[in-house]
Amino acid sequence: MAGRPIGLELDAAGLHFVSFDLRAVRICEDAIRRGSLYNACAWLEVSPAVLTGTRFDVVLFAPARWESKARVFELIDAAFEKMTIQGRFLLAGRRNAGVESYRNRLKAVFGRVETVTSKSGFRVYRSNKRAPATGAHPVDAKHVFEVADLPGGPFTFEAAAGVFSSRGLDAGTRILIETAEVRPGDRVLDLGCGYGAIGIAAAKQAREVQLLDTSLLAVRFTRRNIVRNGLANARVGLSDGFEAVAGRVFDLILCNAPTHDGAATARRIVQGAAMHLRSKGRLTVVAMRPGMYLKQMKRAFDTVDRLESRQAYTVLCARDAKSAIPAA
């Protein structure tokens, strides 16, 4: 299954695909429809633990290569609690992507682990649940930290493994917050908000801020952080790209731009931003490899400026979208 599956139940009730990522769930839903799998369903949830009344006979888990170790451990633990006695857990991954540490966690949780496949750096491990309780210490994947030296600060953030840079403010986010020009009358969109640092900082200066992310886990922590920081002019929504703000326009769109997803993602972000900006609206992004964003911004906007370059990050600001919507 594509995306980030975190649980699969195989029993008389059918197959249950579980992921906290909206795109992954939709991929599953599409596969279910195309395959006419009438005994299957896809769940958008942060963990299999929330599926009340459900027990797993088999769990299949292939962690994403960039997934945090603590998040993988947390999901292994949660799946164990939901499994039937003699239920089977199978985990797949590459040796250079942390799979050996996952094997060690399986052994700690289940007591035993065996190798099903070991070929060309790819591993599949299996464990059986033989007792109702695990002897492994629980994983604490949540972090609370304060950032005092940003405009509008101090801020307090809560995040957890599975959300980008959950242990503290990353350099790219900091540079974007320090560099972006946020005006008092701006309606701002924080695209791919994570736990909300960029949008929350912007809300201290802007008229209102909308934050969006495709991860249910990120959206839940952003909602908590909006409350933690006492903001009444910010709200967060679950969205694949700009879909949750269809028909809306903004004065400023901010994005800590993903670069590992390639040029197609850069094109979707930039072209989508051009369609959701008012006349004279700005798109400001920070990226480690800015070339693909610079190329797309020059295609979609009349003016593109390099605002800052430091610590391997570049901040780009594009204005005057070629498809701009006139101000109301």
Side-chain angles (χ1 to χ4, degrees):
M1 186 182 77
R4 290 190 276 181
I6 59 177
L8 170 63
E9 180 191 2
L10 297 169
D11 61 11
L15 300 93
H16 296 254
F17 297 94
V18 187
S19 179
F20 60 91
D21 184 84
L22 179 61
R23 293 187 190 121
V25 169
R26 287 179 173 170
I27 289 170
C28 291
E29 290 173 337
D30 183 61
I32 289 168
R33 285 192 298 269
R34 287 188 288 106
S36 298
L37 303 176
Y38 300 111
N39 63 336
C41 59
W43 298 88
L44 180 67
E45 296 290 355
V46 298
S47 168
V50 302
L51 299 182
T52 58
T54 303
R55 289 288 170 180
F56 299 141
D57 296 308
V58 179
V59 174
L60 307 179
F61 188 16
R65 294 190 66 174
W66 58 87
E67 194 64 89
S68 73
K69 185 187 298 185
R71 176 62 177 165
V72 173
F73 288 6
E74 186 179 47
L75 292 173
I76 290 172
D77 295 358
F80 176 91
E81 296 298 328
K82 298 294 293 182
M83 289 172 64
T84 59
I85 298 297
Q86 298 304 321
R88 292 159 288 162
F89 191 112
L90 290 96
L91 184 146
R94 294 192 175 276
R95 189 174 180 182
N96 63 358
V99 73
E100 292 304 312
S101 66
Y102 306 156
R103 178 191 183 279
N104 294 337
R105 186 63 186 179
L106 285 175
K107 186 173 182 180
V109 171
F110 289 88
R112 295 177 59 184
V113 60
E114 59 181 308
T115 302
V116 177
T117 300
S118 178
K119 184 178 181 180
S120 302
F122 187 80
R123 304 284 190 271
V124 177
Y125 295 116
R126 177 173 60 206
S127 290
N128 285 62
K129 182 174 178 177
R130 303 176 186 277
T134 174
H137 294 293
V139 175
D140 184 5
K142 294 185 177 64
H143 310 282
V144 177
F145 55 94
E146 184 173 295
V147 182
D149 57 344
L150 287 176
F155 299 97
T156 301
F157 298 111
E158 179 185 4
V163 179
F164 175 66
S165 192
S166 63
R167 293 180 177 271
L169 198 70
D170 67 288
T173 292
R174 173 178 288 277
I175 292 167
L176 180 59
I177 292 172
E178 292 174 345
T179 305
E181 180 189 5
V182 182
R183 301 166 185 168
D186 280 347
R187 288 184 170 89
V188 179
L189 172 63
D190 177 3
L191 184 66
C193 63
Y195 57 81
I198 294 169
I200 287 170
K204 289 286 188 174
Q205 306 170 69
R207 178 177 178 177
E208 63 181 50
V209 176
Q210 173 71 66
L211 302 95
L212 298 177
D213 204 286
T214 187
S215 164
L216 181 61
L217 190 65
V219 167
R220 289 184 176 176
F221 278 101
T222 295
R223 188 171 291 121
R224 294 181 192 178
N225 289 327
I226 289 172
V227 174
R228 273 182 176 272
N229 290 279
L231 297 171
N233 64 334
R235 58 183 178 179
V236 61
L238 186 71
S239 182
D240 185 358
F242 295 89
E243 66 176 8
V245 292
R248 293 178 59 190
V249 291
F250 301 89
D251 301 293
L252 174 63
I253 296 175
L254 300 171
C255 182
N256 187 343
T259 53
H260 61 267
D261 290 343
T265 295
R267 182 172 59 254
R268 286 194 297 269
I269 289 173
V270 173
Q271 292 182 355
M275 297 300 296
H276 286 82
L277 284 169
R278 295 178 182 275
S279 178
K280 306 299 181 182
R282 298 101 64 207
L283 167 64
T284 304
V285 303
V286 62
M288 290 191 72
R289 297 195 298 273
M292 68 179 76
Y293 284 90
L294 182 62
K295 179 179 179 180
Q296 295 299 329
M297 290 166 100
K298 287 182 175 179
R299 287 179 176 177
F301 292 84
D302 289 329
T303 304
V304 182
D305 296 313
R306 189 184 300 260
L307 300 184
E308 181 70 80
S309 291
R310 56 185 159 104
Q311 294 179 260
Y313 290 92
T314 296
V315 179
L316 301 172
C317 180
R319 305 189 308 277
D320 304 323
K322 294 175 182 176
S323 57
I325 301 171

